[in-house]
Amino acid sequence: MRTYEPHDEGAAAEIVRGAVGSPERLRLVGGATKAGIGRPAQDEATLSSVALTGITLYEPAEMVVAARAGTPLAEVQALLAARGQMLPFEPMDHRSLMGTTGEPTFGAVAAANNSGPRRINAGAARDSLIGVRFINGRGQAIKSGGRVMKNVTGLDLVKLMAGSWGTLGLLTEVTFKVLPVQERVATLAFPDLDDARAIAALSAALGSPFELTGAAHLPAGIEGGAARTLMRIEGFSESIDYRLGELRRLLKRFGQPEIVEGGAGTALWACIRDAASFAEPRSAAVWRISTAPTRGPAVTAAIGAQRDARWFYDWGGGLVWLATDAGGDAGAEVVRAAVRAQGGHATLVRAPDAVRAAVPVFEPLAEPLMRITAGIKAAHDPHGLFNPGRMYAGL
């Protein structure tokens, strides 16, 4: 299969224009660290942004950074860290979960709306994305947004491209707002709570004025040992001491927590961010379920009663990571039925190719929403060049 790695936006546009009117279809990738997410490829060539590299703008005082889409994410993060700044949304590294190599790229963060535990406080990648450049399905270079946040009327292409998974165009440059790194990070870890009580504790903490930046629950056996309910706070040291004390008083009915700081805390939240507990066995299907936090335990109870499953909760219970046997159509229907009963949606993040080809990978859309989605796809990629069938069969 042919691979294109253009070194500039003009060359990328020329490749796309060359594919118009030909039978060739294009699989759009960055560092290919998320290979295996979505329906199996239905394309004949790969168009990669990996050679579109370089930081094009960094203004620490304005807290904004821009880079070409193939720039390694680690390079951007190192630049920000040197000035005491960070990407607010804590992007996930998929390599351990997906068993991939390569280097995560800056553009792929936007393409996948890649957001980790801090989303409950700082929002998703989409919320920090303020500018994009991309090549549409006509081979035209499009610029949307800029260096500042502003009100937008009409179609906001910046937000539309976030989470489009390469189905609307090849991102060539992205611009994000950034935030300062906090002076201190501390995590309260409550032991031995069952799922329902853990979610109640997280809900109480998130409803308080003490500003959590992480809220997760690891049932017994996840990351070894007993169950742990985790609440992360960040800020100045004096503020941390005060908020830790107030949270302990507020949540005393849930037991006595320990405080986790330093490298142990960093490693713990990285494991949650990357769903590293589900890296093995490779044969397991891994689902990412979004639902109302208070309904998460009902979803997992319904699935666990029918299939051999493991799970943990992030985003205060609103995000459920679940691993189960692949199970084909029957296994997928158990998961989707449990989610439908409680409200929410489920994405099959990892499974064998045969399973991903046979079952809907992303939550099936209602017919009116599918019409809108198809219309947006047709407007940006009228010849169906980009990632055909990746998200939904026929699109």
Side-chain angles (χ1 to χ4, degrees):
M1 187 167 64
R2 190 182 317 185
T3 297
Y4 300 103
E5 295 182 355
H7 285 77
D8 58 54
E9 190 176 75
E14 185 176 344
I15 291 166
V16 173
R17 287 195 295 270
V20 174
S22 78
E24 190 168 65
R25 295 296 177 263
L26 301 171
R27 180 170 70 107
L28 305 190
V29 301
T33 61
K34 303 176 187 65
I37 300 179
R39 296 172 63 84
Q42 302 176 30
D43 40 58
E44 298 177 10
T46 296
L47 176 55
S48 173
S49 67
V50 72
L52 299 171
T53 60
I55 294 167
T56 57
L57 168 75
Y58 180 39
E59 295 183 359
E62 298 297 327
M63 295 193 294
V64 62
V65 65
R68 296 186 181 93
T71 306
L73 175 60
E75 181 180 329
V76 178
Q77 290 176 315
L79 175 70
L80 296 176
R83 299 298 296 266
Q85 295 182 334
M86 65 180 182
L87 295 171
F89 43 86
E90 204 169 359
M92 176 181 179
D93 184 339
H94 288 78
R95 287 176 290 186
S96 62
L97 180 65
M98 304 304 298
T100 52
T101 56
E103 192 70 29
T105 60
F106 201 45
V109 170
N113 192 30
N114 186 354
S115 313
R118 197 175 283 108
R119 181 174 181 171
I120 61 168
N121 177 267
R126 175 183 287 113
D127 299 305
S128 294
L129 183 65
I130 59 174
V132 297
R133 293 184 65 92
F134 66 96
I135 306 299
N136 68 12
R138 297 178 177 86
Q140 300 167 323
I142 306 295
K143 177 181 182 295
S144 182
R147 301 182 180 186
V148 297
M149 302 290 284
K150 60 176 67 177
N151 292 327
V152 177
T153 57
L155 183 62
D156 186 351
L157 294 180
V158 174
K159 306 307 183 189
L160 189 66
M161 293 301 291
S164 61
W165 287 93
T167 59
L168 302 180
L170 175 73
L171 286 167
T172 59
E173 183 180 272
V174 294
T175 305
F176 281 101
K177 293 291 286 184
V178 301
L179 287 179
V181 173
Q182 298 299 310
E183 177 183 285
R184 181 181 167 197
V185 181
T187 298
L188 283 177
F190 288 81
D192 300 322
L193 300 181
D194 62 29
D195 288 9
R197 291 197 75 223
I199 299 304
L202 293 174
S203 296
L206 287 167
S208 76
F210 305 122
E211 200 173 359
L212 271 61
T213 65
H217 173 62
L218 308 179
I222 301 296
E223 285 303 294
R228 286 179 292 173
T229 305
L230 307 169
M231 303 171 189
R232 183 178 62 185
I233 56 175
E234 304 178 46
F236 294 109
S237 188
E238 294 84 353
S239 170
I240 294 290
D241 288 335
Y242 170 75
R243 288 149 64 199
L244 287 173
E246 291 300 304
L247 281 168
R248 281 171 157 168
R249 280 188 281 274
L250 175 68
L251 303 172
K252 62 183 179 181
R253 66 186 184 279
F254 296 103
Q256 291 299 315
E258 65 171 319
I259 298 174
V260 182
E261 297 191 65
T266 300
L268 179 59
W269 285 102
C271 184
I272 294 167
R273 178 197 69 197
D274 299 340
S277 299
F278 295 158
E280 299 293 341
R282 306 300 313 169
S283 59
V286 177
W287 293 82
R288 192 175 187 269
I289 298 168
S290 180
T291 188
T294 55
R295 296 183 177 182
V299 171
T300 54
I303 297 168
Q306 300 181 61
R307 309 201 70 83
D308 182 20
R310 298 180 296 140
W311 57 82
F312 69 89
Y313 305 85
D314 198 0
W315 300 353
L319 175 64
V320 183
W321 284 98
L322 180 137
T324 184
D325 61 286
D329 291 342
E333 181 52 33
V334 168
V335 173
R336 295 207 185 278
V339 173
R340 281 196 302 269
Q342 299 299 327
H345 57 85
T347 300
L348 181 58
V349 175
R350 190 187 77 194
D353 284 356
V355 175
R356 294 189 294 120
V359 306
V361 173
F362 291 85
E363 187 72 24
L365 296 177
E367 196 274 334
L369 291 177
M370 183 60 83
R371 283 203 310 271
I372 294 171
T373 300
I376 292 172
K377 171 72 170 173
H380 287 79
D381 181 20
H383 306 287
L385 298 179
F386 301 141
N387 288 352
R390 179 167 193 177
M391 296 182 75
Y392 302 102
L395 289 183

